[in-house]
């Protein structure tokens, strides 16, 4: 989380994580499920502090990270 503002720094770690996920049987569609669960959890935990702006920021962030992982997992498969 501390490096979300510097995505280039965490891309190699995300790619490694994605390659391991292939071995666990993770499929592309699972990333959508996790994203939905993350947003729901943030909404429940933050309540009124989970503004539309914050939701959009987390959606964009998670989508970016998930896309990096999906691409790496496809290359590994």
């Amino acid at each position: 989380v501390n490096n979300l503002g510097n995505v280039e720094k965490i891309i190699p770690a995300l790619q490694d994580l994605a390659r391991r996920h292939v071995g666990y049987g993770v499929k592309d569609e699972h990333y959508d499920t996790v994203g939905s669960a993350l947003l729901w959890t943030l909404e429940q935990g933050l309540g009124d502090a989970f503004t539309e702006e914050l939701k959009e920021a987390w959606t964009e962030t998670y989508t970016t990270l998930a896309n990096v992982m999906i691409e790496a997992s496809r290359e590994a498969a």
Side-chain angles (χ1 to χ4, degrees):
V1 171
N2 290 333
N3 287 308
L4 287 177
N6 188 6
V7 175
E8 293 79 24
K9 186 174 182 179
I10 63 172
I11 285 177
L14 289 171
Q15 292 168 326
D16 288 341
L17 182 62
R19 286 188 280 272
R20 289 193 305 272
H21 277 58
V22 170
Y24 308 143
V26 173
K27 308 262 187 259
D28 291 358
E29 59 270 18
H30 295 149
Y31 289 92
D32 288 338
T33 302
V34 171
S36 295
L38 171 65
L39 293 174
W40 181 86
T41 300
L42 290 168
E43 182 178 15
Q44 298 304 304
L46 297 174
D48 291 338
F50 192 61
T51 63
E52 190 61 33
E53 181 180 5
L54 192 56
K55 180 178 181 178
E56 288 174 16
W58 270 106
T59 299
E60 181 179 343
T61 299
Y62 179 78
T63 300
T64 300
L65 301 177
N67 286 338
V68 167
M69 291 182 69
I70 289 169
E71 183 179 327
S73 67
R74 288 178 180 169
E75 291 171 3

